[in-house]
């Protein structure tokens, strides 16, 4: 099944970039978990275990020909929707939202896997229906439904962050397929007409803490000890890092736990406090290189499916990086999007690495003749 | 339209491929712009505003914590401890650590009897971060602690800390003198007196605790600590030790104080005992009293309101805030005024038929049928009213007022307690100023027997008697004898303060003192109940009218048939031993009827407690309440 010649096509530069980011992640988590009496003392160790597992997922996603995977796209999508429904029914509640499914000692977030499902199913649909002249409205209806189902389900949890991530994958692919200007105007008009309704629906489905977050974003100092606390502490952490940062383990904000969620959604703040502007620059360069590498894969992909898959992964990672960091910098409301490859979390790590596996999959098969 | 097969690009024209690539680049540009935005924003935060955030992060982690010095203890003059500090339990809540809000709030309200809203309000008022503990209440009982401890698994976020709390060793004993403490309130935080005190500081709110708060409290120290977001101390960065608070040694003599309190029992009133040679207050009691322990341990608003509205005013220190007509006690001053003004031959007899017609009114004597022919000595011993009506008529109000002022009456004595009342010494000028009316001679007659406008506090009565005992020296009444700075082992002793001395001729003193001795020791004396087998006593009884009837036209009322609240106040002011006065006592029993029967025996108890006590350093058995 696996052609050993593919190994020669494996891109080691990519591995270097990914390892670079993962190294910074483990470093930051080490810093967070060093705090004494920390229950999560082995946080960075756990992350290392997850990275190892995630590489397994990466390997699987890489070796099975992406055309083969694509054949099962709708099945995978179906399973994913089912899992999301199960979460609604039997999910474990954490942090006020129902996101977790437990299988014995092992619990995971199906909403993370939803990203992969959406990626596969949209890439399949778009690549099979792509045309030179762009999409018409009627052709967009189906992918919108495909997106809509998991989107609504994760919004119910409520998990605004994942809902956004799913949309990014869709939007990235839209860039690629293009659509007719008439359709664009039409979609725009429809959107404007339904905006109040959508807003209402959206607003009603937000839990009170999410509404608070949005309001807080507009004025963080309004409630410095409540919801605004995250944003304020995060800005203090990043801002106090200065040019060179406070050095490893020197981040007082995170060391002293002023920064909540320092190991998950706010890991960037922990990193920026200890490594300063230089650190941010290095991290963004690494992500930039990863995305450029992805673009290169998309450019050189053998076929439309490869291109769509690559673009989907680029969009997913690129937008998540953008949203997460903007959030920690106080440029956006806190929506709970993890920073790919950096944030602590098994399911997210496995999902991201599997997505990168698909990217590598496309890359190594670009010279192959598979029909 | 023919569908273009994009499945394989090998057949695709270059142009189409470029179109696809352009779109990918466009996507990349969008993300790139996002990244640039992030870099610009990071630059702004870290470089442009870096120093601001640097400072913010320091403020975050470095806290200036006030170190409360342990509040000074309070002792009596012999070193018996009256107030100290004992470890107690304080309940804190850390909002962020609470797992089950509803249950925790329900439990706290159930155990402590707080309404839910009050707890929520306290949490909402928290400052800075949700990780900082909010003080819910101090002074938890062991039972309350046990109730929280046994359910601690369900009460994440509640923390019980051991802190020092004020302990009033003898309960209500001398509560009006000692006062109580409680946390500084918002209004006090704004006052310059309590400059820079951190919230939560215990300050004196009444009595000695308030008056000498600065000694007792000392200067809080400061500690720079690095904390984590939970407020846990990580390390200490710098320390400025608190400046030692001082222990106080009061002039109060515990045994005498206890005798006074037991003597007064459940009667409303006050007893003041002082040393005539120093102004030292040996005992000061006021009843009803309050429980300083309860007030220092945060009573509820409801209990506080009840205290304030209590018709018997337990928060009132009757010894310095209760002003009463002095009744016949005032005759001492009348006698001295007349003798010193040479307007009286003490041997000259005056006929008393039980009443004195004056203008259209008849001024009655307390004794129906009168005292017969009485001179000054007899009139004081038997407390003849008619004699003093005539004397008052002779002297005129202003001469009486002048003498009273020489004794320091009509002004606060300056005792070291807050909110002392001045009392009233009426005069023509006083009436014109306060009521814009002229003085009527009939009013002088009322004042002559201590009725009408004149009134003073039990402390002022003792103060007056001290001057009779010591020959005219006005020592400032005082409660503080010594302070002791435990930290630096420094003692500071305060000498008595002589405010003024006014000459009272030895002849006058002799005449008056002998008569006062007669009040207790002679057959017709009004205060036989004060007689002790151990020493001689000199004193004067008084009956202050509650309803103006007897001195007026209304004639005699039989006070025994009156309801308690309409009965007269009973006075007795005395000193002992007669030949070498060591202690002066003023007793006032509200609605106690006659001074001789009600107040005099109480004075005897106080005298005996003080004068018969074992020598200092000897065995003392003190009963703790």
């Amino acid at each position: 099944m696996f052609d050993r010649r593919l190994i020669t096509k494996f891109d080691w530069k990519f591995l270097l970039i990914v390892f670079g980011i993962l190294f910074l992640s483990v470093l930051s988590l080490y810093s967070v978990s060093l705090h004494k009496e920390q229950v999560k003392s082995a946080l960075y160790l756990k992350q290392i275990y997850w990275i190892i597992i995630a590489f397994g997922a990466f390997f699987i996603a890489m070796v099975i020909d992406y055309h083969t995977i694509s054949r099962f796209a709708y099945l995978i999508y179906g399973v994913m929707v089912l899992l999301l429904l199960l979460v609604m029914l039997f999910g474990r509640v954490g942090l006020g939202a129902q996101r977790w499914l437990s299988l014995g000692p092992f619990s995971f977030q199906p909403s993370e896997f939803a990203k992969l499902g959406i990626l596969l199913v949209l890439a399949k649909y778009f690549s099979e229906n792509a045309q030179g002249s762009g999409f018409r409205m009627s052709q967009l209806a189906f992918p919108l439904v495909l997106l809509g189902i998991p989107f609504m389900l994760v919004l119910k949890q409520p998990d605004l962050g994942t809902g956004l991530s799913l949309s990014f994958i869709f939007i990235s692919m839209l860039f690629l397929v293009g659509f007719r200007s008439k359709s664009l105007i039409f979609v725009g008009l429809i959107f404007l007409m339904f905006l109040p309704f959508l807003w209402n629906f959206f607003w009603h489905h937000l839990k009170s803490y999410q509404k608070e977050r949005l309001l807080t974003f507009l004025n963080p100092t309004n409630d410095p000890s409540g919801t605004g606390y995250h944003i304020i502490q995060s800005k203090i952490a990043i801002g106090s890092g200065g040019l060179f940062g406070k050095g490893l383990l020197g981040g007082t904000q995170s060391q002293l736990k002023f920064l909540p969620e320092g190991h998950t959604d706010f890991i960037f703040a922990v990193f920026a406090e200890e490594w300063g502007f230089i650190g941010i620059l290095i991290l963004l360069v690494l992500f930039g290189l990863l995305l450029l590498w992805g673009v290169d894969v998309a450019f050189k992909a053998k076929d439309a499916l490869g291109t769509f898959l690559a673009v989907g992964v680029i969009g997913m990672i690129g937008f998540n990086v953008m949203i997460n960091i903007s959030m920690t910098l106080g440029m956006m409301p806190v929506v709970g999007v993890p920073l790919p490859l950096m944030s602590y979390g098994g399911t997210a790590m496995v999902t991201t690495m599997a997505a990168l596996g698909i990217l590598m999959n496309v890359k190594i098969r670009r010279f192959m003749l598979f029909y | 339209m023919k569908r273009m097969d994009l499945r394989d690009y090998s057949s695709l024209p270059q142009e189409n491929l470029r179109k696809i690539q352009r779109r990918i680049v466009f996507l990349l540009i969008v993300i790139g712009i996002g990244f640039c935005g992030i870099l610009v924003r990071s630059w702004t935060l870290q470089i442009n505003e870096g120093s601001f955030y640097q400072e913010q992060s320091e403020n975050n982690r470095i806290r200036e914590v006030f170190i409360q010095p342990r509040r000074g203890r309070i002792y009596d003059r012999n070193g018996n401890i009256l107030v100290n500090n004992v470890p107690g339990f304080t309940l804190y809540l850390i909002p962020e650590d609470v797992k089950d809000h509803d249950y925790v709030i329900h439990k706290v309200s159930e155990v402590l009897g707080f309404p839910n809203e009050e707890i929520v309000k306290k949490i909402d008022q928290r400052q800075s971060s949700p990780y900082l503990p909010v003080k819910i209440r101090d002074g938890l009982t062991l039972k309350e602690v046990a109730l929280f401890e046994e359910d601690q698994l369900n009460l994440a976020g509640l923390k019980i800390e051991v802190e020092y709390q004020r302990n009033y060793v003898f309960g209500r004993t001398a509560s009006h003198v000692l006062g109580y403490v409680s946390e500084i309130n918002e209004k006090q935080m704004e006052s310059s007196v309590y400059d820079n005190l951190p919230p939560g500081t215990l300050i004196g709110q009444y009595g000695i605790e308030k008056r000498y708060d600065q000694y007792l409290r000392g200067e809080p120290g400061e500690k720079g600590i690095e904390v984590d977001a939970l407020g846990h101390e990580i390390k200490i960065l710098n320390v400025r030790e608190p400046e030692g608070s001082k222990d106080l040694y009061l002039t109060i003599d515990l045994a005498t104080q206890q005798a006074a309190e037991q003597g007064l029992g459940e009667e409303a009133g006050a007893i003041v005992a002082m040393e005539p040679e120093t102004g030292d207050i040996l005992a000061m009691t006021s009843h009803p009293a309050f429980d300083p322990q309860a007030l220092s341990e945060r009573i509820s608003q409801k209990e506080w309101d009840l205290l304030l509205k209590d018709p018997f005013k337990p928060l009132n220190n009757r010894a310095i805030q209760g002003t009463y007509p002095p009744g016949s006690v005032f005759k001492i001053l009348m006698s001295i005024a007349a003798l010193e003004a040479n307007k009286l031959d003490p041997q000259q007899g005056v006929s008393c038929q039980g009443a004195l017609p004056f203008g259209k009114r008849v001024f009655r004597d307390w004794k129906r049928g009168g005292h017969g022919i009485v001179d000054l000595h007899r009139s004081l011993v038997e407390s003849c009213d008619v004699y003093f009506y005539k004397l008052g008529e002779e002297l005129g109000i202003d001469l009486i007022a002048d003498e009273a002022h020489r004794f320091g009456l009509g002004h606060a004595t300056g005792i070291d307690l807050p909110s002392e009342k001045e009392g009233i010494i009426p005069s023509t000028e006083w009436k014109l100023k306060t009521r814009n009316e002229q003085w009527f001679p009939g009013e002088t007659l009322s004042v002559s027997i201590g009725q009408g406008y004149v009134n003073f506090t039990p402390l002022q009565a003792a103060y007056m008697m001290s001057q009779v005992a010591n020959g005219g020296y006005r020592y400032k009444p005082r409660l503080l004898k010594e302070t002791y700075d435990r930290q630096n082992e420094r003692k500071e002793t305060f000498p008595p303060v002589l405010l003024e001395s006014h000459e009272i001729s030895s002849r006058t003193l002799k005449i008056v003192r002998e008569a006062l001795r007669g009040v207790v020791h002679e057959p017709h004396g009004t205060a036989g109940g004060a007689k002790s087998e151990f020493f001689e006593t000199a004193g004067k009884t008084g009956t202050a009218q509650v309803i103006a009837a007897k001195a007026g036209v209304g004639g005699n009322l039989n006070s025994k048939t009156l309801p308690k609240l309409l009965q007269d106040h009973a006075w007795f002011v005395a000193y002992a031993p007669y030949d070498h006065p060591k202690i002066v006592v003023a007793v006032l029993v509200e609605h106690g009827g006659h001074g001789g029967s009600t107040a005099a025996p109480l004075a005897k108890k106080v005298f005996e407690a003080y004068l018969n006590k074992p020598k200092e350093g000897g065995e003392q058995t003190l009963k703790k309440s």
Side-chain angles (χ1 to χ4, degrees), chain A residues 111-125:
Chain A
S111 56
E112 279 294 330
F113 289 137
K115 294 177 189 170
L116 284 180
I118 277 287
L119 176 74
L120 292 171
V121 83
L122 289 180
K124 183 178 172 73
Y125 175 83

Side-chain angles (χ1 to χ4, degrees), chain A residues 48-100:
Chain A
I48 291 171
Y49 300 149
W50 277 117
I51 289 170
I52 293 165
I53 293 167
F55 265 100
F58 169 85
F59 187 74
I60 293 165
M62 177 182 77
V63 294
I64 304 168
D65 188 332
Y66 63 93
H67 298 89
T68 314
I69 298 174
S70 185
R71 234 171 280 154
F72 296 102
Y74 285 103
L75 181 67
I76 294 168
Y77 176 87
V79 170
M80 161 202 103
V81 171
L82 195 68
L83 285 175
L84 288 175
L85 283 167
L86 283 177
V87 169
M88 262 179 65
L89 296 172
F90 311 108
R92 186 161 62 79
V93 176
L95 295 174
Q98 221 168 5
R99 296 182 189 177
W100 300 80

Side-chain angles (χ1 to χ4, degrees), chain A residues 22 25 47 50-51 53-55 57-58 99-100 106-116 159 162 165 263-265 267 316-317 320 324 336-357:
Chain A
L22 291 174
S25 161
Q47 182 80 335
W50 277 117
I51 289 170
I53 293 167
F55 265 100
F58 169 85
R99 296 182 189 177
W100 300 80
F106 181 76
S107 63
F108 67 99
Q109 280 177 284
S111 56
E112 279 294 330
F113 289 137
K115 294 177 189 170
L116 284 180
D159 182 354
T162 305
S165 295
H263 58 298
T264 54
D265 292 355
I267 192 154
M316 176 176 127
I317 294 176
N320 275 340
N324 172 281
V337 174
L339 185 56
L341 302 176
M342 285 285 286
S343 289
Y344 173 81
T347 326
M349 182 61 75
V350 170
T351 307
T352 309
M353 287 305 288
L356 288 170

